[in-house]
Amino acid sequence: QVQLVESGGGSVQAGGSLKLSCAASGYIFAGSWCGRGWYRQAPGKERELVSYINRNGATRYADSVKGRFTISQDNAKNTLYLQMNSLKTEDTAVYYCAAGLDCSRRYWGQGTQVTVSS
């Protein structure tokens, strides 16, 4: 059974930083041909892609977070990270880890709340 468990969310003032972690069990990030990444969903809005690592290790970012967020992966810990710097109030959302992107089955974490105040 695949489980993705996010952590690291919280409340921070604008300009601050947070680092999200996504620990996987039943799924090996390094051994998968599928993409993996982070999505977010703000109240009243659709879930959107924040950042993504594809099967070749190439990364992609939403325009709104380019230059501020960095996605990374620790294969030894089987954990995906999202370093978020220079946070803005509009980054407030529930952040979800996702695996199995570009493949037939997608997996989601339970989400972690990020709140940025002015």
Side-chain angles (χ1 to χ4, degrees):
Q1 183 179 356
V2 175
Q3 270 195 313
L4 304 175
V5 180
E6 301 102 333
S7 60
S11 297
V12 65
Q13 287 194 320
S17 299
L18 284 172
K19 186 174 184 178
L20 305 184
S21 300
C22 172
S25 61
Y27 189 94
I28 306 298
F29 286 125
S32 173
W33 284 100
C34 307
R36 67 298 307 253
W38 293 91
Y39 283 71
R40 68 185 180 187
Q41 188 166 18
K45 295 188 176 181
E46 292 188 355
R47 192 171 296 191
E48 62 174 356
L49 178 66
V50 176
S51 186
Y52 164 80
I53 299 177
N54 73 7
R55 61 185 66 186
N56 298 316
T59 58
R60 189 171 83 211
Y61 297 91
D63 288 343
S64 59
V65 306
K66 278 181 184 176
R68 300 188 296 121
F69 290 13
T70 303
I71 190 170
S72 63
Q73 180 177 307
D74 185 329
N75 293 337
K77 295 182 179 180
N78 201 30
T79 299
L80 191 69
Y81 300 100
L82 185 69
Q83 176 68 47
M84 306 186 294
N85 298 329
S86 302
L87 282 161
K88 303 177 181 180
T89 55
E90 51 263 44
D91 294 319
T92 295
V94 178
Y95 284 70
Y96 297 91
C97 176
L101 304 180
D102 303 324
C103 292
S104 59
R105 184 168 181 177
R106 187 172 292 190
Y107 302 94
W108 296 96
Q110 82 287 352
T112 186
Q113 177 70 45
V114 171
T115 302
V116 185
S117 58
S118 58

